[in-house]
Amino acid sequence: MIDEKEMVPYMAGEQWKSKIGFILAAAGSAIGLGAVWKLPYVAGTSGGGAFFLVFLVFTLLLGTSLLLAEFVIGRKTQKPPIQAYKELAPGTPWYWVGILGIISSCLILSFYAVVGGWILTYFIRSLTGGLTDPPEGNYGILFESIISNHWEVGAAHLGFIVITILIVQGGIQKGIERASSIMMPALFIIFIVLVVRSLTLDGAMEGVRFFLQPDLDSLDGQTILFALGQAFFSLSLGVSIMVTYSSYLSKKESLVRSASSIVGLSILIAFLSGLAIFPGVFAFDLEPNEGPSLIFTVLPAVFNEMALGSLFFTLFLLLLLFATLTSAFSLLEIVVSSVSHSNPGRRRIAAWAGGLGIFILGIPSNLSYGLLSEWLIFGDIFFNQIDFLVSNILLPVGALCIAVFASYFIKRSELREELLRGSSLGSGFFSTWLVLIRYITPLAIIAAFLHVLGVW
Ligand code: PHE
């Protein structure tokens, strides 16, 4: 039952308590599996430093511009996505961009929570000693046996979703902001400890070189495309999540300053994550191009070789859990805010119904590695296809729509006012941003699509 008194803090118009709380929550959404799981393995399989360099350029130019566009839409209207697009373009179908964002977020969370569950299982096993002695000394076999064990990964998948629901139902300040303000600083501290440990291993430099020295010959269309998708994915763009988070931001704060902090923190973590992972992989002569299972099969082997390795691995898993959870909060929040915006009393029920619905949606992804491993859709398992659909189709389409909407359908004077509010930047900055969001971002996304379709 919803207690009348408890409803008060979730009244419509709820805001982040502090600017730093907003930055930590938004950086928490951005920093997640993208930076800590996907970036290292994609960099590992597509040319190391060259990939990272292209990713950096896309993040700084296109990612930041799009982040600002989402912020302008959210903060200007102070409404969740569907309502925000409706307010800015009444009587037009643009609100479908909000609906698309919600659908994409549910799909992302459906497989995100499966990986969250793997991390939770690994974390619990690492505390109870269940990771130290893999069958035949091979972590690959251990990973396979864990992820194909339906009951264990099913329970962990559900456990991950329930933690997400419990936080999101608490509201913006008492749920997401409070949890992010604990988890994000903890994540930074653990990262620093791990990077120091990793860089002091014998032979660490080879890994650093692999990660940071760009071998431009290994750049091809495919790598550039991945880097573009990765830049959007790892800033949580294209699904209106940043519209949602900024709708709770006070009109006093500067969007530009907040966006720079968020992008800066995400890049820092992407960088630290490569530095935490590759030196160990090279120091112990393992393969950097292991693919998605890199952190589950190669890293335990790395940590196993180190003094106090199991302690460091447990810390790493805790870090991953925090990174994944803070992203999951944002993916559920977009659903919850859309349903409970006009009636805050519905937040709790929306969080449970949405979260459990997404859990059910994720079951086929979870079983893709066990019972359903033979069930191929266009030649690949369900889990990979959902990831592909979201990362390479829905997210870029959403990003394209948001860039076009913000730059062509909101009045120039209104855009300018909201973007520059509270900042000392002037017309030069505004015009540059407009060129990036109006021409360069849409062109880059369209070029990427044409490439996927084989047109060039
Ligand atoms: N940014 C998150 C990550 O890198 C993933 C994400 C994408 C979250 C889109 C929300 C929206 O892991």
Side-chain angles (χ1 to χ4, degrees):
M1 278 297 100
I2 296 163
D3 180 338
E4 287 294 321
K5 265 192 268 124
E6 282 202 319
M7 276 172 51
V8 176
Y10 322 133
M11 290 307 283
E14 196 186 359
Q15 287 196 338
W16 302 104
K17 200 162 165 187
S18 67
K19 179 178 159 193
I20 182 81
F22 163 67
I23 291 178
L24 289 176
S29 167
I31 296 163
L33 292 176
V36 192
W37 170 67
K38 241 182 173 178
L39 183 88
Y41 88 69
V42 178
T45 50
S46 12
F51 177 83
F52 192 63
L53 188 70
V54 181
F55 163 77
L56 269 187
V57 173
F58 283 151
T59 301
L60 285 171
L61 291 180
L62 310 186
T64 311
S65 316
L66 200 61
L67 179 62
L68 283 169
E70 292 207 15
F71 278 180
V72 166
I73 296 170
R75 220 257 309 256
K76 183 163 173 46
T77 56
Q78 315 246 283
K79 295 207 165 100
I82 299 181
Q83 291 87 338
Y85 294 108
K86 276 193 175 158
E87 178 176 312
L88 291 169
T92 68
W94 278 103
Y95 68 93
W96 276 94
V97 178
I99 297 179
L100 178 74
I102 295 177
I103 296 174
S104 310
S105 298
C106 292
L107 290 174
I108 298 178
L109 188 53
S110 78
F111 71 86
Y112 213 82
V114 171
V115 183
W118 296 348
I119 297 169
L120 191 59
T121 295
Y122 262 64
F123 179 65
I124 294 170
R125 280 179 174 245
S126 82
L127 292 177
T128 52
L131 287 181
T132 39
D133 216 358
E136 301 167 38
N138 184 328
Y139 280 97
I141 300 181
L142 180 68
F143 179 63
E144 299 276 314
S145 76
I146 293 178
I147 64 172
S148 57
N149 179 345
H150 321 303
W151 294 115
E152 181 171 346
V153 286
H157 178 192
L158 183 61
F160 182 88
I161 284 277
V162 169
I163 300 174
T164 307
I165 295 173
L166 289 174
I167 300 292
V168 172
Q169 72 164 6
I172 291 300
Q173 288 193 5
K174 295 204 166 150
I176 298 177
E177 184 167 0
R178 190 184 280 172
S180 308
S181 306
I182 299 170
M183 290 180 181
M184 293 309 287
L187 178 141
F188 285 110
I189 296 170
I190 301 175
F191 246 128
I192 303 286
V193 172
L194 289 177
V195 169
V196 169
R197 170 68 274 206
S198 152
L199 290 179
T200 47
L201 292 169
D202 280 343
M205 274 310 128
E206 204 185 326
V208 176
R209 224 170 291 130
F210 170 78
F211 179 52
L212 294 182
Q213 205 171 59
D215 164 17
L216 294 179
D217 288 343
S218 62
L219 270 189
D220 54 14
Q222 184 76 10
T223 315
I224 296 179
L225 194 67
F226 272 178
L228 182 69
Q230 177 70 21
F232 290 149
F233 186 86
S234 66
L235 282 176
S236 306
L237 296 172
V239 293
S240 301
I241 279 201
M242 293 301 183
V243 172
T244 313
Y245 268 19
S246 60
S247 72
Y248 302 117
L249 182 65
S250 144
K251 288 270 185 190
K252 292 198 306 268
E253 307 297 350
S254 149
L255 294 181
V256 180
R257 229 172 296 137
S258 304
S260 334
S261 314
I262 294 161
V263 173
L265 288 174
S266 313
I267 291 181
L268 177 71
I269 289 293
F271 184 70
L272 289 180
S273 135
L275 288 185
I277 293 175
F278 290 115
V281 172
F282 279 84
F284 298 109
D285 256 344
L286 295 158
E287 287 300 323
N289 55 359
E290 180 67 21
S293 60
L294 179 75
I295 59 172
F296 296 103
T297 56
V298 176
L299 283 190
V302 169
F303 284 106
N304 210 15
E305 300 283 330
M306 296 178 185
L308 290 180
S310 60
L311 170 70
F312 284 114
F313 193 47
T314 305
L315 279 178
F316 179 74
L317 291 166
L318 187 64
L319 171 163
L320 268 180
L321 201 56
F322 286 167
T324 320
L325 278 170
T326 48
S327 301
F329 301 157
S330 68
L331 289 161
L332 185 57
E333 175 60 28
I334 184 175
V335 180
V336 171
S337 73
S338 302
V339 179
S340 64
H341 173 69
S342 53
N343 180 355
R346 283 204 294 230
R347 172 171 277 274
R348 184 165 304 177
I349 182 86
W352 281 96
L356 293 179
I358 291 169
F359 167 73
I360 294 170
L361 190 67
I363 292 177
S365 291
N366 195 338
L367 295 180
S368 285
Y369 286 91
L371 268 184
L372 298 183
S373 60
E374 309 278 299
W375 182 46
L376 302 185
I377 303 170
F378 296 117
D380 207 343
I381 54 171
F382 188 81
F383 179 105
N384 293 349
Q385 292 298 18
I386 292 281
D387 182 11
F388 181 86
L389 172 72
V390 173
S391 311
N392 299 329
I393 300 174
L394 298 182
L395 223 107
V397 168
L400 180 62
C401 293
I402 292 171
V404 170
F405 178 75
S407 57
Y408 290 93
F409 290 85
I410 304 180
K411 273 207 218 95
R412 214 184 153 98
S413 55
E414 294 182 10
L415 270 183
R416 196 190 140 100
E417 183 195 329
E418 194 63 48
L419 184 79
L420 299 182
R421 193 193 290 280
S423 101
S424 54
L425 293 160
S427 307
F429 178 82
F430 176 69
S431 315
T432 314
W433 173 74
L434 204 55
V435 168
L436 282 167
I437 199 77
R438 182 172 270 188
Y439 305 109
I440 317 262
T441 308
L443 279 179
I445 298 172
I446 292 170
F449 267 122
L450 293 181
H451 184 79
V452 173
L453 295 175
V455 177
W456 62 273

